[in-house]
Amino acid sequence: MQTAASILVIDDEPVLQDILKTLLTSNGFETYSAMTAAEGMQRLFEEEIDVVMLDLMLPDRNGLDLLPEILARAPDLPVIIITAHSSVESAIEAMRRGAFHYVPKPFKNEEVLHLVRRAAERRQLERENRFLRSQLEGLGEIVGTSRRIQEVFALIQRAAPARANILVAGESGTGKELAARAIHRHSPRCNKAFVPVHTSAIPDGLLESTLFGHVKGAFTGAVNSRKGLFEAAHEGTLFLDEVSTITLETQTRLLRVIQEREIRRVGSVESRSVDVRLVAASNLDLWQEVQAGRFREDLYYRLNVITIEMPPLRERAEDIPLLAFHFLQTFAEENQRKVTGFTPQAMDALTAYYWPGNVRELENAVERAVVLTQEEYIDLETLPQVIRNDERRPVVQAEVPASGLDFREAMADFQTQLIKAALKRSDNVQRRAARLLRLSPTTFNEMIHRLGINDPK
Ligand SMILES: Nc1ncnc2c1ncn2[C@@H]1O[C@H](COP(=O)(O)OP(=O)(O)OP(=O)(O)O)[C@@H](O)[C@H]1O
Ligand SMILES: [Mg+2]
């Protein structure tokens, strides 16, 4: 059953409040009244309101100024302006600022009822649409049914509505940016901008002006004033990719902006307030960067109110078939190829592989296969060599001497041997060695440091 639409009347005239209350409740609406702007905002905060009727002349505020604040809180909320005949111009100005409609005083009951019904209907429609959209989209393109990725979905859904900054951690290609976009889409900021900043791609000297903007003449080449990405993301979400690459100097400025919720364009003394939710991503262990003195600890805590850890693909291998199919469909359509599936051998190889490059590597492998295949089903030979050759032979026979051994020491020793062997086989090129061991370059590098392998001879 549909519940009655609720109408909030913000007007300081008790007589008018009474008339509207009687009229609306007798026609099946639920009503709330507020005599001041402050009281009105309070009600909006406490109650689920469907339509607002707003007087333009309130004791504490001008209704025209209150309107944008109401709409900022609830962008879809229809607001009907109540206005004296003499000030129809302000009512028209209010419509320009996003009001649903206006009723001139004194009004006819039918006129008010008709408008309120229409407004409530529109509100209801928007609610239903938003629900359908969210059902359809789920979490957007984030594909996966494994427990690990389901946990990520759940966390995104719980964390998205808040304003808290989020750190998305995970190896390269695990879907950090995708997660950041999902956070934005599931937040109340979804109708505002999502602004990605690929900090590592921006030269050091330009990052500050890119983020905070600059005024004309702030530095050589600044021929015009420009607004920064923080301003572009106002009321929306700013995605700071690869935060660990930001210099300590810029980190300091960033911290100040987060604390003060104000930015100052480079070369300007004037502050502007900005309301931005930050989602940061890093494929390095940011805490380790803090320990190493390369990342400010206070900034770390500011960014990392909530952490979302994207699991590597090899730790959720049950998602591989689903992801492979998802990419197959995407690329078959994009290339207008009739490719409908994988042979069992090809799928086995895909599931057995270690995926150091995670989902991005899988995506590329499938795209390549879709383009190369002559058949309807993708077979082994269209998959990249490394994937086909992923033989998982055991390399050692484990033995435990009668006296026993220290398990952790033995493991570290074995890891050291493997890493040295891999480095030797790849002429000491770490990237290649990492690939031989199906490790991401970052993990490989971390292991080298952890195991103290400095002289790989
Ligand atoms: N769960 C998933 N479902 C569908 N597509 C995915 C998923 N995870 C990642 N992808 C796809 O894989 C590619 C890599 O994802 P994304 O760019 O989000 O990763 P990343 O962690 O930001 O990588 P990097 O650290 O290299 O920047 C993208 O094309 C993305 O669409
Ligand atoms: Mg990324």
Side-chain angles (χ1 to χ4, degrees), residues 1 20 50 74 77 82 188-189 202 263 283 285 346 353 363 384 421 423 426 435 449:
M1 205 189 78
L20 282 174
D50 295 307
L77 190 64
I82 310 171
R189 299 168 174 259
I202 300 170
I263 56 117
N283 54 20
D285 182 340
Y353 182 54
E363 183 176 17
L423 281 166
S426 38
R435 201 163 176 84
H449 287 300

Short mmCIF file of all heavy atoms in Angstrom, two decimals, residues 1 20 50 74 77 82 188-189 202 263 283 285 346 353 363 384 421 423 426 435 449:
data_model
loop_
_atom_site.label_atom_id
_atom_site.label_comp_id
_atom_site.label_asym_id
_atom_site.label_seq_id
_atom_site.Cartn_x
_atom_site.Cartn_y
_atom_site.Cartn_z
N MET A 1 0.83 -1.20 0.00
CA MET A 1 0.00 0.00 0.00
C MET A 1 0.87 1.25 0.00
O MET A 1 1.91 1.30 0.64
CB MET A 1 -0.89 0.00 1.24
CG MET A 1 -2.15 0.80 1.06
SD MET A 1 -3.03 0.98 2.63
CE MET A 1 -2.11 2.26 3.44
N LEU A 20 -4.07 25.42 5.51
CA LEU A 20 -3.40 24.40 4.70
C LEU A 20 -3.46 23.04 5.38
O LEU A 20 -3.68 22.02 4.73
CB LEU A 20 -1.95 24.79 4.44
CG LEU A 20 -1.76 25.86 3.34
CD1 LEU A 20 -0.31 26.28 3.25
CD2 LEU A 20 -2.24 25.32 1.98
N ASP A 50 7.92 14.74 1.44
CA ASP A 50 7.76 14.55 0.00
C ASP A 50 7.61 15.85 -0.77
O ASP A 50 8.00 15.95 -1.93
CB ASP A 50 6.54 13.67 -0.29
CG ASP A 50 6.74 12.26 0.24
OD1 ASP A 50 7.76 11.66 -0.10
OD2 ASP A 50 5.89 11.78 1.01
N ALA A 74 18.09 17.82 -0.48
CA ALA A 74 17.27 16.82 -1.17
C ALA A 74 17.00 17.28 -2.59
O ALA A 74 16.02 17.98 -2.84
CB ALA A 74 15.97 16.62 -0.41
N LEU A 77 13.47 17.03 -4.25
CA LEU A 77 12.31 17.46 -3.47
C LEU A 77 11.57 18.60 -4.17
O LEU A 77 12.13 19.64 -4.44
CB LEU A 77 12.79 17.91 -2.09
CG LEU A 77 11.73 18.18 -1.04
CD1 LEU A 77 10.97 16.91 -0.69
CD2 LEU A 77 12.39 18.73 0.22
N ILE A 82 4.96 29.81 -1.77
CA ILE A 82 3.73 30.56 -1.45
C ILE A 82 4.10 32.03 -1.51
O ILE A 82 5.06 32.46 -0.87
CB ILE A 82 3.25 30.25 -0.02
CG1 ILE A 82 3.19 28.73 0.20
CG2 ILE A 82 1.90 30.90 0.25
CD1 ILE A 82 2.94 28.35 1.65
N PRO A 188 24.94 9.96 -1.60
CA PRO A 188 23.96 11.02 -1.90
C PRO A 188 24.53 12.04 -2.88
O PRO A 188 23.82 12.90 -3.36
CB PRO A 188 23.72 11.69 -0.54
CG PRO A 188 24.37 10.83 0.47
CD PRO A 188 25.37 9.97 -0.21
N ARG A 189 25.83 11.93 -3.17
CA ARG A 189 26.48 12.86 -4.09
C ARG A 189 26.39 12.40 -5.53
O ARG A 189 27.01 12.99 -6.42
CB ARG A 189 27.95 12.99 -3.72
CG ARG A 189 28.13 13.51 -2.33
CD ARG A 189 29.54 13.40 -1.80
NE ARG A 189 29.56 14.08 -0.52
CZ ARG A 189 30.04 15.31 -0.34
NH1 ARG A 189 30.62 15.92 -1.34
NH2 ARG A 189 29.96 15.89 0.83
N ILE A 202 50.51 13.61 -13.40
CA ILE A 202 50.62 15.07 -13.44
C ILE A 202 51.99 15.48 -12.90
O ILE A 202 52.38 15.04 -11.83
CB ILE A 202 49.51 15.71 -12.56
CG1 ILE A 202 48.14 15.29 -13.12
CG2 ILE A 202 49.64 17.22 -12.52
CD1 ILE A 202 46.98 15.64 -12.23
N ILE A 263 39.65 25.86 0.12
CA ILE A 263 40.84 25.87 -0.73
C ILE A 263 41.21 27.30 -1.03
O ILE A 263 40.41 28.22 -0.93
CB ILE A 263 40.63 25.12 -2.07
CG1 ILE A 263 39.44 25.71 -2.81
CG2 ILE A 263 40.46 23.65 -1.89
CD1 ILE A 263 39.81 26.31 -4.10
N ASN A 283 48.35 1.50 -4.72
CA ASN A 283 48.70 0.07 -4.82
C ASN A 283 49.96 -0.25 -4.02
O ASN A 283 50.40 -1.37 -3.97
CB ASN A 283 48.79 -0.43 -6.27
CG ASN A 283 49.70 0.39 -7.11
OD1 ASN A 283 50.55 1.11 -6.58
ND2 ASN A 283 49.55 0.32 -8.41
N ASP A 285 51.49 -0.25 -0.06
CA ASP A 285 50.98 -0.26 1.29
C ASP A 285 51.26 1.12 1.89
O ASP A 285 52.39 1.46 2.21
CB ASP A 285 51.71 -1.35 2.08
CG ASP A 285 51.20 -1.45 3.50
OD1 ASP A 285 50.59 -0.47 3.98
OD2 ASP A 285 51.41 -2.50 4.13
N ALA A 346 40.54 -23.91 -22.45
CA ALA A 346 40.87 -22.49 -22.30
C ALA A 346 40.41 -21.99 -20.93
O ALA A 346 41.15 -21.29 -20.23
CB ALA A 346 40.20 -21.69 -23.41
N TYR A 353 45.67 -19.85 -13.90
CA TYR A 353 46.73 -18.84 -14.00
C TYR A 353 46.77 -17.94 -12.77
O TYR A 353 45.77 -17.77 -12.06
CB TYR A 353 46.51 -18.02 -15.28
CG TYR A 353 47.54 -16.97 -15.55
CD1 TYR A 353 48.90 -17.29 -15.61
CD2 TYR A 353 47.15 -15.65 -15.76
CE1 TYR A 353 49.84 -16.31 -15.87
CE2 TYR A 353 48.09 -14.66 -16.03
CZ TYR A 353 49.43 -14.99 -16.07
OH TYR A 353 50.35 -14.03 -16.32
N GLU A 363 41.13 -8.93 -18.52
CA GLU A 363 40.38 -8.15 -19.50
C GLU A 363 41.15 -8.08 -20.82
O GLU A 363 40.60 -8.34 -21.90
CB GLU A 363 40.14 -6.74 -18.94
CG GLU A 363 39.30 -5.86 -19.83
CD GLU A 363 39.02 -4.49 -19.19
OE1 GLU A 363 39.72 -4.11 -18.22
OE2 GLU A 363 38.11 -3.80 -19.67
N PRO A 384 47.31 -15.76 -24.39
CA PRO A 384 48.73 -15.43 -24.33
C PRO A 384 49.56 -16.61 -23.79
O PRO A 384 49.07 -17.38 -22.94
CB PRO A 384 48.79 -14.26 -23.34
CG PRO A 384 47.42 -13.68 -23.35
CD PRO A 384 46.49 -14.82 -23.64
N ALA A 421 66.66 -17.26 -7.74
CA ALA A 421 66.66 -18.05 -8.98
C ALA A 421 65.92 -17.30 -10.09
O ALA A 421 66.37 -17.28 -11.24
CB ALA A 421 66.01 -19.41 -8.72
N LEU A 423 65.49 -14.08 -10.33
CA LEU A 423 66.27 -12.91 -10.75
C LEU A 423 67.39 -13.33 -11.70
O LEU A 423 67.67 -12.67 -12.70
CB LEU A 423 66.86 -12.19 -9.54
CG LEU A 423 65.88 -11.28 -8.78
CD1 LEU A 423 66.45 -10.90 -7.42
CD2 LEU A 423 65.58 -10.03 -9.59
N SER A 426 66.22 -13.95 -15.11
CA SER A 426 65.75 -12.80 -15.89
C SER A 426 66.76 -11.65 -15.87
O SER A 426 66.36 -10.47 -15.90
CB SER A 426 64.38 -12.34 -15.37
OG SER A 426 64.33 -12.46 -13.98
N ARG A 435 57.29 -11.59 -12.85
CA ARG A 435 56.36 -12.25 -13.75
C ARG A 435 56.56 -13.77 -13.74
O ARG A 435 55.60 -14.54 -13.75
CB ARG A 435 56.57 -11.69 -15.15
CG ARG A 435 55.38 -11.90 -16.02
CD ARG A 435 55.42 -10.99 -17.23
NE ARG A 435 54.29 -11.32 -18.08
CZ ARG A 435 53.08 -10.81 -17.90
NH1 ARG A 435 52.85 -9.95 -16.94
NH2 ARG A 435 52.09 -11.16 -18.69
N HIS A 449 62.79 -6.65 -0.17
CA HIS A 449 63.17 -5.85 1.00
C HIS A 449 63.00 -6.63 2.29
O HIS A 449 63.85 -6.64 3.15
CB HIS A 449 62.34 -4.56 1.06
CG HIS A 449 62.76 -3.58 0.02
ND1 HIS A 449 64.03 -3.06 -0.04
CD2 HIS A 449 62.10 -3.04 -1.04
CE1 HIS A 449 64.13 -2.24 -1.07
NE2 HIS A 449 62.96 -2.22 -1.70
#
